Amino acid sequence: MQVINTMKTILLPTDFSKNSMNAIDYAIALFKDIECHFYILNVQKASSFISDDMLVVSSSTTIYNTIVDAAKKSITNIISKIKNDKNNNKHHFYSVVDYDNFIDSINQVSNTYKVDLIVMGTKGASGLDKVIFGSNTVRVIQRCDTPVLAIPNGCIFKPIDKIAFSTNHYTLFEEENLAPLKSLVNLYNSELTILHVADENHLAQKQEKNNEFFKTNYSGVTHEYIDATSKEMFKVIKQYLTNNSIKMLAMISEKHSFLERLFTTHTVETFAFSINVPFLVIKPSNI
């Protein structure tokens, strides 16, 4: 495995659920050979502890302090356990507790600490649950410019030997945009497959330029061409991931993309679709 010496700054939002803790474990394993600053963030909402009948400032302030202190203690305990279990001197941990709108807090922390990647859990789709992503994960992907790595519920880390990058070529790629993808490809010497999705929004004129981009910037890239209607897209991509033992799905959040459809299509249509591998979402700089 090729080791990259560049320092990484990773944001790990947590609500202390089992799902968010699993995402933290995944991130630590993913970057075990990399020097990293991990910021573990918990965001408290006013509605959590201030109700309409709390008109006395001192009372609400006391409740605020109690809640925030409890969150700080929980993060301290998480960090202590990680240090005891992993004992990795390449990893440095910091606690952040914020009282703010969730997305505003994510963006502020990301800007302040120059975060390279946000790693957070999804709720997954299991049994009769039609929720593929938790609402917070969806909002972060849609409204934050920092790349997001979404970890499915219960996903255990395995070396990323195969990555699939899905695109309909609505966007022309730039090296800077795809830096998070290239970093992971280099770190694990991963096989990279470009899934060219041909549907009604496919832009063939940009495909040729993007093919040249990958030829120039990545070695040994495989190209697969998928021709499917929007309605079948979820099923086709899921089947490809399973059949080819793909360990991570990546994409740029481009217009008319698989991702955009996934978030706007009625839940009944996506009921059978669950992403059971980590999902890297990158925002292009030109949108």
Side-chain angles (χ1 to χ4, degrees):
M1 183 175 66
Q2 182 179 357
V3 177
I4 310 300
N5 294 320
T6 306
M7 173 78 75
K8 297 287 184 187
T9 301
I10 313 296
L11 179 59
L12 303 171
T14 182
D15 57 4
F16 308 116
S17 65
K18 183 178 178 182
N19 188 36
S20 69
M21 294 307 301
N22 182 65
I24 291 174
D25 289 341
Y26 188 98
I28 290 167
L30 178 67
F31 295 110
K32 68 182 178 65
D33 296 317
I34 298 294
E35 194 89 17
C36 288
H37 289 306
F38 289 105
Y39 288 87
I40 301 179
L41 170 68
N42 176 255
V43 182
Q44 294 292 333
K45 296 184 296 183
S47 58
S48 299
F49 52 89
I50 299 177
S51 58
D52 293 337
D53 60 348
M54 286 178 161
L55 302 178
V56 181
V57 174
S58 59
S59 297
S60 60
T61 301
T62 301
I63 295 170
Y64 165 84
N65 290 338
T66 301
I67 296 291
V68 169
D69 287 347
K72 287 180 179 177
K73 185 176 180 181
S74 294
I75 294 178
T76 299
N77 290 339
I78 290 169
I79 292 172
S80 295
K81 186 175 187 307
I82 292 169
K83 288 181 175 179
N84 288 334
D85 291 348
K86 305 299 181 184
N87 192 27
N88 189 339
N89 59 14
K90 292 180 180 292
H91 289 176
H92 314 279
F93 296 91
Y94 308 89
S95 169
V96 184
V97 177
D98 200 5
Y99 164 55
D100 201 349
N101 170 278
F102 184 74
I103 297 300
D104 290 345
S105 180
I106 292 279
N107 279 325
Q108 183 177 357
V109 172
S110 296
N111 291 332
T112 299
Y113 298 108
K114 295 181 172 52
V115 169
D116 297 304
L117 182 68
I118 300 168
V119 182
M120 62 190 301
T122 72
K123 290 187 176 179
S126 58
L128 297 176
D129 184 6
K130 295 180 182 180
V131 179
I132 294 174
F133 293 96
S135 59
N136 278 342
T137 309
V138 171
R139 286 189 293 146
V140 171
I141 289 173
Q142 290 178 323
R143 295 170 57 189
C144 295
D145 291 333
T146 306
V148 178
L149 180 60
I151 310 300
N153 193 23
C155 180
I156 305 301
F157 173 77
K158 295 177 183 176
I160 310 298
D161 58 343
K162 292 185 177 182
I163 299 176
F165 179 83
S166 170
T167 178
N168 60 3
H169 299 290
Y170 198 91
T171 302
L172 281 175
F173 304 136
E174 299 172 7
E175 191 171 356
E176 183 181 351
N177 287 150
L178 293 186
L181 174 64
K182 191 165 188 177
S183 176
L184 287 170
V185 168
N186 289 342
L187 179 59
Y188 284 94
N189 196 25
S190 309
E191 294 179 22
L192 179 62
T193 300
I194 312 303
L195 296 180
H196 302 271
V197 178
D199 63 0
E200 65 273 19
N201 298 305
H202 175 250
L203 295 182
Q205 68 270 29
K206 291 184 179 179
Q207 179 177 312
E208 188 174 341
K209 289 184 179 179
N210 282 339
N211 285 355
E212 282 300 313
F213 168 85
F214 281 108
K215 184 178 178 181
T216 302
N217 291 281
Y218 296 80
S219 60
V221 174
T222 301
H223 295 268
E224 294 283 353
Y225 298 86
I226 294 177
D227 191 354
T229 64
S230 292
K231 208 168 189 178
E232 291 292 310
M233 195 61 63
F234 308 117
K235 180 180 177 182
V236 171
I237 290 182
K238 179 184 177 182
Q239 196 64 51
Y240 182 87
L241 299 179
T242 302
N243 291 348
N244 294 277
S245 301
I246 300 297
K247 300 298 195 309
M248 182 178 291
L249 175 63
M251 67 177 55
I252 277 190
S253 182
E254 51 191 344
K255 292 180 181 178
H256 307 300
S257 66
F258 160 79
L259 178 70
E260 189 176 75
R261 275 177 239 134
L262 183 61
F263 288 163
T264 57
T265 306
H266 194 273
T267 52
V268 172
E269 293 179 47
T270 61
F271 175 73
F273 185 89
S274 60
I275 297 174
N276 55 9
V277 298
F279 190 30
L280 176 65
V281 182
I282 305 165
K283 280 285 183 72
S285 59
N286 56 348
I287 65 170

